[in-house]
């Protein structure tokens, strides 16, 4: 790949890794639904500033169907993600998001007409095999091992949702600029989770989280907007399947590394080998992918 798309892809992956770590740090301080409301609401000021800088206008009518589809999928995925990392270690759940490349690549073929070559497919397959092996018990089929971790099924659902959203994002960005789409996603998701939080009587918990961890909440909100910005840029200059492969392969490596260093999560040789396979897959995609 060319230098600029490669840099953007890697920067996007690193931004999401940072956001994952902050979410994991905060996930024990509030129920997943309340935490989702706080974290998504924290993104709104930054996207509001971004869209104000670009200028306000209503997107074209053709924007709303893919834009709202992306919004709905993000709501489901955001809640599922927080449930998953609340119930299981980050090193055993976040790497499962490496399943998204194969789903996103398959979905992008008929929808966007993005047909990868054989070496890219090999890279995607290596990333997925590594993700499945990461949770496999000795002597047990990897797919059956997904049920071993209580948070794993939720993360698989997240993987499916987030594998489809980039294609909808790419279509939406044909009819609106990045800042407007980011604002719709953050504000729309925030409204949904705020309403849900009010219904379960979680406003007090949300207020306490913001009071006790204001800097973490601010970092999470700002970091998420940076990650969204880079991802929206990436999908406009590279194939959706490539973006997801790099994002999830590097994310799997980081989840294992920082899960051990920051959250005292145990890792073994099998998990390390699985991540190596995933990183090799990412390298193949970067070296042979097309924009």
């Amino acid at each position: 790949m060319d230098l600029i798309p490669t840099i953007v892809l890697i920067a996007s992956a690193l931004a999401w890794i940072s956001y994952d770590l902050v979410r994991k740090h905060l996930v024990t301080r509030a129920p997943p639904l309340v935490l989702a409301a706080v974290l998504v609401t924290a993104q709104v000021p930054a996207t509001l500033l971004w869209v104000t800088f670009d200028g306000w206008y209503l997107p074209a009518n053709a924007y709303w169907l893919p834009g709202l589809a992306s919004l709905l999928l993000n709501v489901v995925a955001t809640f599922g993600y927080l449930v998953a990392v609340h119930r299981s270690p980050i090193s055993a759940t976040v790497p499962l998001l490496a399943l998204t490349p194969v789903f996103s690549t398959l979905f992008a073929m008929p929808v966007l007409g993005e047909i990868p070559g054989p070496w890219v497919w090999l890279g995607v397959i290596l990333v997925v095999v590594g993700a499945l092996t990461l949770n496999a018990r000795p002597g047990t089929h990897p797919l059956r091992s997904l049920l071993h971790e209580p948070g794993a099924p939720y993360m698989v659902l997240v993987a499916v949702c987030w594998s489809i959203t980039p294609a909808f994002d790419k279509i939406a960005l044909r009819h609106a600029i990045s800042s407007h789409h980011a604002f719709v996603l953050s504000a729309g998701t925030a409204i949904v989770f705020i309403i849900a939080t009010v219904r379960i009587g979680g406003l007090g918990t949300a207020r306490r989280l913001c009071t006790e961890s204001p800097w973490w909440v601010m970092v999470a909100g700002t970091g998420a907007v940076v990650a969204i910005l880079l991802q929206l840029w990436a999908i406009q200059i590279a194939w959706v399947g490539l973006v997801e492969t790099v994002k999830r392969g590097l994310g799997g490596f980081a989840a294992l590394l920082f899960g051990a260093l920051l959250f005292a999560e145990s890792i073994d040789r099998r998990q390390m080998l699985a991540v190596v396979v995933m990183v090799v897959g990412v390298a193949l995609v970067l070296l042979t992918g097309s924009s």
Side-chain angles (χ1 to χ4, degrees):
M1 294 183 65
D2 293 335
L3 180 60
I4 291 179
T6 300
I7 292 174
V8 174
L9 260 63
I10 293 175
S12 174
L14 294 176
W16 283 113
I17 289 166
S18 301
Y19 186 44
D20 286 340
L21 294 175
V22 175
R23 284 188 286 189
K24 178 62 177 179
H25 175 74
L26 293 173
V27 77
T28 58
R29 304 190 181 191
L33 184 60
V34 176
L35 181 58
V38 171
L39 292 182
V40 177
T41 303
Q43 300 172 23
V44 176
T47 57
L48 184 61
L49 181 63
W50 183 12
V51 77
T52 301
F53 178 80
D54 282 343
W56 287 90
Y57 66 88
L58 282 176
N61 290 336
Y63 163 80
W64 293 105
L65 181 59
L68 293 178
S70 177
L71 170 61
L72 176 61
L73 290 166
N74 271 295
V75 168
V76 175
T78 298
F79 180 67
Y81 178 95
L82 293 172
V83 172
V85 297
H86 181 73
R87 295 191 175 193
S88 294
I90 189 173
S91 58
T93 50
V94 170
L96 287 172
L97 292 176
L99 292 169
T100 58
V102 69
F103 297 141
S104 60
T105 302
L106 289 172
F107 189 73
M109 288 170 65
V111 175
L112 300 174
E114 297 176 353
I115 312 298
W119 287 107
V120 173
W121 270 116
L122 177 59
V124 170
I125 291 170
L126 287 176
V127 169
V128 173
V129 168
L132 295 177
T133 305
L134 195 66
N135 280 323
R137 293 176 177 178
T140 304
H141 194 279
L143 291 175
R144 185 176 299 174
S145 297
L146 290 176
L147 301 178
H148 172 56
E149 288 291 345
Y154 293 93
M155 198 60 86
V156 173
L157 173 63
V158 174
V160 173
C161 290
W162 277 344
S163 66
I164 299 173
T165 52
F168 283 120
D169 289 335
K170 194 161 189 172
I171 296 172
L173 289 172
R174 295 171 182 170
H175 309 286
I177 60 176
S178 297
S179 59
H180 289 74
H181 184 49
F183 178 73
V184 168
L185 293 181
S186 62
T189 307
I191 290 170
V192 171
F193 281 115
I194 288 172
I195 292 173
T197 299
V198 170
R199 289 184 62 86
I200 67 170
L203 283 181
T205 303
R207 190 180 302 112
R208 184 168 60 254
L209 177 62
C210 293
T211 302
E212 294 176 352
S213 307
W215 289 107
W216 283 109
V217 171
M218 289 176 60
V219 168
T222 305
V225 173
V226 172
I228 292 169
L229 185 158
L230 289 169
Q231 177 163 313
L232 293 180
W233 185 7
I235 63 175
Q236 292 179 80
I237 61 176
W239 284 357
V240 164
L242 307 189
V243 175
E244 286 300 310
T245 302
V246 174
K247 175 180 173 183
R248 299 313 175 188
L250 294 181
F253 171 77
L256 199 67
L257 175 64
F258 291 113
L261 294 178
L262 301 180
F263 303 108
E265 296 175 359
S266 60
I267 58 176
D268 56 31
R269 292 180 179 177
R270 173 185 51 80
Q271 289 176 306
M272 289 188 287
L273 177 61
V275 170
V276 168
V277 171
M278 292 163 65
V279 171
V280 170
V282 170
L284 273 176
V285 167
L286 288 176
L287 292 173
T288 64
S290 301
S291 60

